[in-house]
């Protein structure tokens, strides 16, 4: 067995000791096990609830500019217009993320990408928030590989990221109708991670469908039936079903089982995996996501691959975190000449104050195969700023 | 691949059973849950957020408890002093490096991939507060592979064995009860036992080499005696960045 697989085997093994979370699933390190606690979407991602805004401001972000304000005062100023009260039924939001990156630094060229510029609104139809409508509309950059190709058909740059109606039918059951991210695996922030990119749940892979999320204190089960993205051509829409079962072994330690099966006219996708989120100490976490991918292109032999994502995050001081990532992916395990892509990274996740996130990461990627040819590894330096109202 | 996943699963289950047992016994000692724990457990099924915008999270779920704790700061817990200890472990490492190759008058650089296993002993000397000063000693074995890409040297190197010894004085800070972070200065001596086809006339560089570098060390402590250690080292003389991950045990 190659050493790097043993390397990942150790990481994977440690998940059974460790503690785990989505969106910022790392926040299970702060004992936030369920995404529903902070997000309108119970699978994470998208607009934050009032509670989520309060948690970010009063507990996770640093106190830069807060003076001697108490946690309650900081939390009260975490709304869209800071401390100015909004009507109970309206919760607007704006988010922007900009990325600067260099390949094999120091390089002459620095590429910048406006990754996200979204405006969102949550409308509460009742004060108990049993009936809520949530929508996000935003900018989606055209992928670099087709941006400069005059012949390529370019997708729209302004799209609806999500729009859904959420209905809490009982104390434990939530139903979502509309366009959302697919329910699958750990919903981490990095949409280029193999666990998101290679499974088809990246930043622009939303779908229309119905979600049922059943939450108990120690477990959650979410089922998603979807009919594809209605903004796409009919033959491209991936229709299918996915699920995620999350079980809390003990406080701040959740393991999960996840699966997805979908198809369109040209391609059939099947994915299944194991997830683990483990929080320990105060603000530290270990995440793992391991799964198998089967892609069947019409008229072709199925390709069976795997993906693996791991992350160790450690709080240094309030608002500042150090993290390490380890990932691997192989498109087809049935051929002897295939290569494994292995990526390792180290970075800083910083929230110096509420509404601001800075992320700096260095990523080292290797392709490892049975051949003696060694492709030179690549390094990437990534700096990201995230502003949120 | 199925074998690999089976091995991972078996390894995981074996470790989980021992870890679970240890955690269970630790739980019996029952220390009081931290404030955050008590509050957030109640939000596993989150309560509806009341009408006023952005209430403080601690007020949403447990107002009385939160208020009382805000008013009276919790007494400072006595911090357990770090004492000196020894540790033993094993880690896996991999890195890329460029190695010079020569064939007659032709010369080229071959990009090589190193993968291997290291056995480690370390003595951790306690310092003041949360600081400690470990000396890591690693004995490593592994294989290197690569292929010449120059027109004159296209030889393949497969499973060439290497042996490594390194000494790393480090400075480590205990960031939380279960995690540490620190820096080290690894000094490594390595031998590659080149097994070359004599008829090829290929000569490889770096049969033995010495390198010094700087490393960053991150430790997650699963129990009082078992750690997951992740290190990222840049070896200056080899111009290589070495990733390593391993399990260590205190004794």
């Amino acid at each position: 067995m190659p050493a790097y697989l043993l390397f990942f085997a150790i990481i994977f093994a440690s998940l059974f000791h460790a503690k785990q979370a989505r969106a910022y699933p790392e926040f299970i390190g702060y004992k936030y096990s369920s995404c529903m606690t902070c997000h309108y979407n119970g699978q994470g991602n998208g607009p934050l609830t009032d509670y989520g805004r309060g948690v970010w401001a009063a507990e996770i972000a640093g106190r830069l500019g807060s003076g001697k304000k108490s946690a309650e005062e900081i939390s009260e100023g975490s709304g869209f217009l800071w401390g100015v009260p909004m009507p109970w039924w309206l919760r607007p939001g704006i988010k922007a993320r900009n990325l600067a990156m260099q390949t094999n630094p120091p390089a002459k060229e620095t590429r910048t990408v406006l990754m996200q510029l979204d405006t969102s609104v949550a409308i509460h139809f009742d004060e108990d928030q049993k009936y809520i409508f949530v929508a996000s509309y935003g900018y989606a950059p055209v992928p670099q590989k087709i941006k400069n190709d005059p012949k390529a058909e370019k997708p729209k740059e302004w799209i609806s990221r999500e729009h859904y109606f959420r209905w809490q039918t009982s104390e434990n059951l939530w139903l979502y109708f509309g366009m959302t991210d697919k329910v699958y695996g750990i919903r981490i922030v990095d949409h280029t991670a193999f666990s998101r990119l290679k499974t088809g749940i990246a930043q622009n892979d939303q779908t229309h469908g119905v979600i049922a999320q059943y939450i108990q204190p120690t477990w959650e089960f979410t089922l998603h039936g979807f009919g594809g993205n209605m903004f796409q051509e009919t033959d491209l829409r991936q229709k299918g079903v996915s699920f995620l079962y999350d079980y809390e072994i003990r406080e701040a330690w959740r393991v999960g089982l996840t699966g997805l099966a979908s198809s369109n006219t040209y391609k059939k996708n099947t994915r299944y995996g194991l997830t683990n989120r483990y929080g320990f100490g105060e603000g530290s976490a270990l995440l793992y996501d391991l799964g198998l991918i089967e892609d069947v292109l019409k008229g072709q032999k199925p390709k069976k691959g795997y993906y693996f994502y791991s992350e160790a995050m450690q709080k240094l001081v309030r608002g500042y975190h150090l993290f390490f990532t380890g990932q691997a992916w192989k498109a087809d395990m049935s051929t002897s000449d295939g290569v494994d892509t292995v990526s390792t990274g180290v970075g800083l996740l910083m929230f110096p104050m509420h509404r601001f996130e800075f992320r700096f990461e260095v990523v080292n990627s290797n392709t490892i195969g049975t051949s003696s040819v060694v492709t030179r590894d690549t390094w990437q330096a990534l700096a990201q700023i995230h502003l949120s109202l | 691949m199925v074998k690999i996943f089976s091995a991972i699963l078996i390894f995981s289950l074996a470790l989980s059973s021992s870890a679970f047992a240890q955690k269970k016994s630790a739980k019996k000692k029952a220390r009081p849950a931290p404030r955050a724990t008590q509050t957030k457990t109640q939000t596993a099924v989150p309560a509806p957020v009341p009408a006023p915008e952005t209430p403080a999270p601690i007020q949403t779920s447990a107002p009385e408890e939160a208020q009382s704790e805000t008013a009276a700061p919790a007494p400072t817990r006595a911090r357990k002093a770090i004492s000196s200890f020894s540790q033993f472990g094993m880690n896996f490492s991999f890195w890329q490096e460029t190695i010079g190759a020569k064939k007659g008058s032709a010369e080229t650089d071959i990009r090589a991939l190193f993968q291997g296993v290291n056995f480690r002993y370390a003595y951790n000397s306690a310092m003041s507060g949360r600081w400690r000063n470990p000396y890591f000693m690693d004995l490593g074995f592994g294989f290197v592979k690569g292929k010449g890409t120059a027109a004159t040297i296209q030889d393949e190197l497969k499973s060439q064995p290497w042996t490594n010894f390194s000494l790393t004085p480090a400075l480590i800070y205990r960031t939380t009860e279960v995690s540490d972070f620190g820096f080290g200065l690894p000094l490594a001596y390595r031998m590659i036992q080149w097994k070359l086809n004599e008829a090829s006339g290929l000569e490889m560089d770096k049969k033995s080499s010495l390198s010094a570098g700087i490393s960053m060390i991150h430790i997650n402590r699963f129990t009082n005696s078992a750690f997951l250690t992740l290190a990222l080292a840049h070896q200056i003389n080899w111009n290589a960045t070495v990733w390593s991950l391993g399990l260590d045990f205190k004794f």
Side-chain angles (χ1 to χ4, degrees), chain A residues 131-357:
Chain A
Y131 306 98
I132 299 173
F133 175 76
V134 178
S136 291
Y137 185 78
Y139 174 73
V142 176
Q144 186 75 10
K145 60 184 175 187
I146 60 170
K147 196 175 181 179
N148 302 320
D149 181 355
K151 290 178 188 169
E153 190 182 336
K154 296 179 180 61
K156 286 180 183 172
E157 287 191 318
W158 292 90
I159 60 169
S160 173
R161 295 244 177 232
E162 58 178 1
H163 48 262
Y164 59 87
F165 176 73
R166 191 185 89 179
W167 174 26
Q168 185 184 354
T169 63
S170 69
E171 199 178 321
N172 304 98
L173 182 64
W174 282 260
L175 298 177
Y176 305 73
F177 305 88
M179 186 186 182
T180 59
D181 287 304
K182 287 172 202 152
V183 171
Y184 183 80
I186 300 179
R187 199 170 285 172
I188 52 171
V189 169
D190 181 2
H191 62 84
T192 63
F194 298 143
S195 61
R196 290 193 59 187
L197 193 64
K198 306 301 181 186
T199 54
I201 54 162
Q203 84 277 30
N204 298 326
D205 290 328
Q206 291 81 12
T207 185
H208 287 86
V210 180
I211 297 173
Q213 183 174 20
Y214 189 80
I215 303 180
Q216 284 287 342
T218 58
W219 60 273
E220 289 185 30
F221 181 74
T222 312
L223 187 65
H224 191 184
F226 48 87
N229 184 338
M230 298 300 161
F231 298 117
Q232 285 185 316
E233 298 294 328
T234 315
D235 55 346
L236 295 175
R237 291 175 196 160
Q238 281 284 338
K239 297 168 191 166
V241 64
S242 65
F243 75 92
L244 174 65
Y245 173 72
D246 226 9
Y247 178 71
E248 187 164 284
I249 292 178
R250 61 176 172 76
E251 189 197 32
W253 182 13
R254 287 200 171 201
V255 292
L257 197 62
T258 188
L260 182 150
S262 67
S263 63
N264 64 16
T265 310
Y266 313 104
K267 195 179 172 193
K268 191 178 164 190
N269 296 332
T270 312
R271 288 96 176 81
Y272 35 98
L274 298 167
T275 65
N276 181 83
R277 297 179 288 142
Y278 179 65
F280 60 99
E282 189 192 334
S284 299
L286 285 170
L287 310 180
Y288 306 96
D289 199 345
L290 172 71
L292 297 170
I293 305 170
E294 185 180 78
D295 290 338
V296 187
L297 282 167
K298 197 177 179 183
Q300 291 186 19
K301 207 179 142 193
K303 277 186 178 178
K304 290 182 180 175
Y306 79 92
Y307 67 88
F308 177 76
Y309 177 84
S310 66
E311 180 183 339
M313 188 186 81
Q314 183 179 327
K315 178 183 165 186
L316 298 174
V317 293
R318 183 173 160 163
Y320 295 81
H321 308 80
L322 172 77
F323 66 90
F324 291 88
T325 56
Q327 302 183 63
W329 167 70
K330 191 171 191 173
D332 195 356
M333 295 186 289
S334 60
T335 60
S336 58
D337 57 349
V339 294
D340 295 76
T341 306
V342 178
S343 170
T344 37
V346 57
L348 286 169
L349 174 64
M350 298 165 279
F351 304 100
M353 60 193 289
H354 181 227
R355 303 175 197 281
F356 286 86
E357 174 193 339

Side-chain angles (χ1 to χ4, degrees), chain B residues 32-197:
Chain B
R35 182 192 69 173
T37 306
Q38 292 170 354
T39 307
K40 289 161 199 167
T41 306
Q42 295 175 25
T43 60
V45 178
V49 179
E53 194 184 24
T54 58
I58 42 177
Q59 291 175 335
T60 310
S61 50
E64 286 171 19
E65 174 195 287
Q67 281 163 14
S68 63
E69 289 200 16
T70 309
T76 309
R77 272 188 298 178
R79 188 171 294 148
K80 199 177 171 185
I82 299 173
S83 51
S84 299
F85 65 93
S86 294
Q87 69 185 76
F88 179 76
M90 188 172 82
N91 65 74
F92 300 97
S93 59
F94 70 93
W95 70 96
Q96 281 194 15
E97 195 178 321
T98 300
I99 300 177
K102 200 174 166 185
K103 199 182 216 181
S105 58
E107 286 183 25
T108 190
D109 284 336
I110 291 179
R111 195 68 180 166
L113 177 71
F114 289 75
Q115 298 179 78
V117 183
N118 298 284
F119 295 93
R120 163 178 292 172
Y121 167 79
Y123 177 72
N124 290 261
S125 171
M127 295 170 73
S128 60
R130 294 183 175 201
W131 292 94
R132 69 178 194 270
N133 173 210
Y135 293 90
F136 296 102
M137 281 171 278
D138 289 78
L139 183 63
F141 310 91
F143 295 98
V144 57
K145 68 172 185 176
K147 185 176 187 304
T149 50
T152 47
I153 301 177
Q154 296 209 332
D155 300 66
E156 274 189 60
L157 299 164
K158 285 182 181 172
S159 304
Q160 302 288 325
W162 56 264
T163 312
N164 179 70
F165 178 76
S166 70
L167 180 67
T168 310
L171 200 55
I172 288 182
Y173 181 74
R174 176 176 284 199
T175 48
T176 71
E177 283 181 7
V178 292
S179 55
D180 308 283
F181 180 71
F183 290 94
L185 295 170
L187 180 68
Y189 174 73
R190 185 190 62 206
M191 287 184 296
I192 306 174
Q193 292 84 41
W194 293 117
K195 291 178 179 172
L196 306 172
N197 183 352

